[in-house]
Amino acid sequence: MKNFLKFKKTAIISLLLILCLVLSSFVFATGETDENSNKVKNVILMIPDGMTIAHTTLARWYQGGEPLAMDELACGLVRTYSANNPITDSAPAGTAYATGYKTQNRYLSIFPEISSMPGVGQVEEKDFYKPIVTILEAAKKSGKSTGLVVTCQFPHATPAAFASHSDNRNDYENIAEQMVYNRVDVVFGGGWKYIGKNSRKDKEDLVSYLKQNGFEVTNSWEVAKNYYGSKIWGLFAQDYMHYDIDRNGTGEPSLAEMTQKALQILSKNRNGFFLMVEGSEIDWASHANDPVGVVSDVLAFDRAVKVALDFAKSRNDTAVIIAPDHTNGGMTLGNYSASADSVLLNNFLKYIRKATRTGAGVEEILGNNRTDENIKKVVSKYYGIDNLTQDEINAIKNAPAGRLNYVLGPMISKRSYIGWTSNDHTGEEVVLYAYHPNGYVPHGVIDNTEVCDYMAEIMGIDLGSFNENAYISNADLEEKGYDVFIDTGNPYNIQLVINSKGKTYTIPQNKNVLIEGNKQYTLKYVSVYIPGAKKFFVSSEVEDLLK
């Protein structure tokens, strides 16, 4: 009897195992388990602005050859061209990551009217300049928390691409207002002057608006790092923050510290979050051909990468994508004065390791005291250079305000056998790095728009459905028979005015509100005015409110 029961038990177990195998084979064939296992709650996109392979190589040598935190994640290359140019600027590059669409240089998350690059489809004329819903906006509308962590001023091109829409990336005040009304949950970086009532041309009190909507708003890192709520804007400089190596004594936090705090706050949301972290000033150092700034901020960015990776690896619901938006400067380790046999590692690193400030930091120290002797003294102390020529001294003395790094950077580069081809962006591919808890990452050479597609896929967000009926234009409303005009009487507060059934409706630019008499309605999307085209785009549910 015991043997029979043992046989029966064994048979049942065997049948169950066979059944499980059949079921698992069926599920694998349908792809359902794989598809679900690829979904994550949280996505951290990290953008080292302007970073090239030469940047990372130099940063590795600077820290003794030790690998960077991002090295283990390298998995492919990203093509960076914009809709109208082989060399992108940060606005369309950020737009591609934010929306999955290419646009033209200077534009932020709107459709282009010029699509001249191979493989970029032409947009219908009626959709020229139309705002494109970003992955940050879609994530927020899906119940997730959202964050932007940068070292530049927050309405600068890359962060702006995720939370605003404009045909002019330099229109900081209007961009800032859109970003505020988009109510991004966590914003850390610079740019206090763009939300302060007294420093804005339109005198909008964006600080009060944020506070009235439950945000902590501060310019103090001490306040921010001790905040344990869920919504905060911490802007730690009036404009942009310092390079990392210049930050001691300023009270400004590091990119890693801001990233750590943002993750602490955003991870409270059970629905998950989307966070974009930018190493903003890698790009600026490259524009200036300043290798000290490059090393400073590549390593600062990499420390933030480690924070993000440690967070992601401590759980199973978070993906990290690291992708520069473009290359910059044409930096090379080796120039026309270098040969493979004559230049040793110390020749590259000697002066960069001696430097304790970037050119921008030295400019602050020099101030207006640009005598020959003081220039020699300061450059010797902070750069270890004791052999300045008179021509170099004169160049330092005559450097325009805010441009001394464009003088000192090349001096360091020349002494370090580092070559540069440009003070601007270049058009090569960039390295893609990615971490997914199940190893589901892109490989090969992909387009920058595919980075957004990948993020949307793993978060389970259908960006197409968000864009399908998000915006209508003033022309659309006119075609439907509404009496519409754009009121430009106050250039700092342009409004769309709609007359319908004896009532007047007003929609101010950059806000997500519709006003009718004493009534105010909150709209799904911020309103966008494109001055050059005289186009005003509003959230599509406006039409329902007019009926």
Side-chain angles (χ1 to χ4, degrees):
M1 187 66 176
K2 286 181 180 179
N3 288 337
F4 173 75
L5 290 174
K6 185 176 180 181
F7 170 78
K8 187 176 180 181
K9 185 176 180 181
T10 302
I12 291 170
I13 291 172
S14 298
L15 285 170
L16 287 172
L17 285 171
I18 292 169
L19 182 60
C20 287
L21 285 170
V22 170
L23 286 173
S24 65
S25 298
F26 172 77
V27 173
F28 178 78
T30 62
E32 290 177 9
T33 296
D34 280 356
E35 183 180 344
N36 290 333
S37 68
N38 293 337
K39 295 289 188 293
V40 293
K41 284 202 315 183
N42 313 314
V43 165
I44 306 168
L45 172 63
M46 308 188 75
I47 301 175
D49 199 308
M51 189 180 79
T52 72
I53 292 175
H55 290 63
T56 51
T57 302
L58 183 62
R60 251 183 247 109
W61 287 129
Y62 181 89
Q63 64 177 16
E66 290 296 315
L68 301 172
M70 65 184 102
D71 284 352
E72 65 176 279
L73 308 178
C75 59
L77 298 173
V78 179
R79 303 179 74 187
T80 63
Y81 58 92
S82 68
N84 70 321
N85 204 302
I87 301 175
T88 188
D89 76 44
S90 290
T95 295
Y97 287 159
T99 69
Y101 288 93
K102 288 186 183 291
T103 193
Q104 65 198 67
N105 286 359
R106 291 172 55 87
Y107 286 14
L108 291 165
S109 296
I110 61 173
F111 285 116
E113 77 274 22
I114 300 173
S115 298
S116 57
M117 286 296 292
V120 181
Q122 183 63 45
V123 178
E124 292 185 50
E125 186 174 353
K126 68 181 181 64
D127 289 330
F128 288 175
Y129 309 104
K130 187 176 183 179
I132 315 169
V133 178
T134 73
I135 195 161
L136 182 147
E137 291 171 324
K140 189 161 185 66
K141 286 168 178 53
S142 301
K144 294 182 182 293
S145 291
T146 56
L148 297 169
V149 175
V150 299
T151 56
C152 60
Q153 55 274 63
F154 76 90
H156 204 263
T158 302
F162 289 85
S164 73
H165 311 270
S166 177
D167 67 336
N168 180 7
R169 56 169 286 180
N170 297 316
D171 189 7
Y172 288 162
E173 289 206 356
N174 285 318
I175 290 166
E177 188 172 25
Q178 287 187 38
M179 295 175 77
V180 165
Y181 274 81
N182 256 325
R183 299 186 192 180
V184 183
D185 296 284
V186 176
V187 175
F188 288 151
W192 181 272
K193 71 179 185 180
Y194 298 106
I195 63 171
K197 179 180 180 180
N198 295 329
S199 52
R200 287 182 58 88
K201 293 175 183 175
D202 60 8
K203 302 305 176 186
E204 287 274 355
D205 191 351
L206 300 181
V207 174
S208 291
Y209 173 83
L210 286 167
K211 288 181 176 179
Q212 289 163 9
N213 285 278
F215 286 82
E216 177 74 33
V217 186
T218 183
N219 58 10
S220 165
W221 176 240
E222 283 299 313
V223 171
K225 75 179 182 180
N226 291 304
Y227 174 76
Y228 294 98
S230 59
K231 297 192 295 185
I232 181 172
W233 279 48
L235 303 178
F236 310 111
Q238 280 293 309
D239 204 3
Y240 50 86
M241 296 171 69
H242 288 78
Y243 287 100
D244 191 77
I245 198 173
D246 297 334
R247 207 165 288 171
N248 287 343
T250 64
E252 296 174 3
S254 69
L255 189 64
E257 288 174 315
M258 292 189 289
T259 301
Q260 182 80 61
K261 189 63 186 181
L263 291 171
Q264 181 190 86
I265 294 169
L266 295 171
S267 59
K268 293 178 180 179
N269 187 338
R270 293 182 179 180
N271 293 321
F273 64 82
F274 172 81
L275 171 64
M276 192 285 290
V277 178
E278 184 193 29
S280 314
E281 295 175 35
I282 299 169
D283 178 68
W284 299 4
S286 302
H287 278 296
N289 295 175
D290 178 4
V292 177
V294 165
V295 168
S296 160
D297 280 47
V298 167
L299 292 178
F301 176 81
D302 195 59
R303 289 189 286 272
V305 168
K306 185 177 186 308
V307 167
L309 276 179
D310 286 348
F311 175 89
K313 289 180 177 181
S314 70
R315 41 204 297 154
N316 61 0
D317 59 0
T318 303
V320 180
I321 301 95
I322 303 157
D325 51 351
H326 52 74
T327 52
N328 193 349
M331 182 186 186
T332 58
L333 301 189
N335 60 16
Y336 285 111
S337 300
S339 69
D341 295 327
S342 65
V343 179
L344 302 177
L345 183 59
N346 188 54
N347 298 123
F348 287 118
L349 297 174
K350 176 182 176 182
Y351 288 105
I352 297 172
R353 280 185 168 156
K354 285 182 177 181
T356 55
R357 291 288 188 279
T358 68
V362 169
E363 181 170 359
E364 284 190 354
I365 293 162
L366 275 174
N368 294 322
N369 185 7
R370 295 196 186 184
T371 64
D372 288 16
E373 287 308 310
N374 195 47
I375 287 171
K376 290 178 184 178
K377 176 183 173 184
V378 170
V379 172
S380 174
K381 179 177 179 180
Y382 293 99
Y383 271 61
I385 295 176
D386 296 314
N387 59 347
L388 286 176
T389 67
Q390 190 59 48
D391 285 345
E392 288 176 328
I393 292 169
N394 292 339
I396 293 169
K397 187 182 296 184
N398 298 320
R403 303 283 290 185
L404 186 57
N405 53 339
Y406 282 74
V407 174
L408 283 171
M411 289 181 190
I412 287 278
S413 294
K414 183 179 180 181
R415 287 168 167 80
S416 304
Y417 299 94
I418 290 173
W420 300 87
T421 64
S422 174
N423 288 114
D424 212 333
H425 300 175
T426 54
E428 315 89 69
E429 283 73 45
V430 296
V431 178
L432 174 69
Y433 309 81
Y435 168 82
H436 185 284
N438 295 329
Y440 179 68
V441 299
H443 291 284
V445 181
I446 67 172
D447 192 80
N448 52 8
T449 58
E450 294 178 84
V451 173
C452 180
D453 296 341
Y454 167 74
M455 294 188 297
E457 177 193 346
I458 61 177
M459 281 197 290
I461 290 175
D462 182 359
L463 274 174
S465 65
F466 280 95
N467 274 301
E468 193 171 344
N469 296 302
Y471 279 96
I472 56 174
S473 70
N474 57 303
D476 295 329
L477 290 167
E478 286 172 0
E479 283 183 10
K480 293 175 183 291
Y482 292 103
D483 178 15
V484 179
F485 73 96
I486 299 171
D487 179 3
T488 58
N490 180 351
Y492 300 122
N493 188 20
I494 295 169
Q495 303 178 106
L496 185 68
V497 180
I498 307 168
N499 295 308
S500 176
K501 299 179 181 178
K503 294 181 178 179
T504 299
Y505 300 85
T506 303
I507 306 174
Q509 66 173 342
N510 307 324
K511 297 181 173 68
N512 60 343
V513 298
L514 177 145
I515 302 165
E516 187 272 307
N518 295 323
K519 299 176 183 177
Q520 181 168 298
Y521 303 90
T522 300
L523 305 175
K524 290 181 182 177
Y525 299 102
V526 294
S527 299
V528 179
Y529 176 57
I530 307 295
K534 293 184 172 55
K535 280 193 171 185
F536 207 117
F537 293 93
V538 297
S539 196
S540 61
E541 80 269 22
V542 162
E543 194 176 358
D544 293 329
L545 295 170
L546 298 176
K547 291 176 181 177

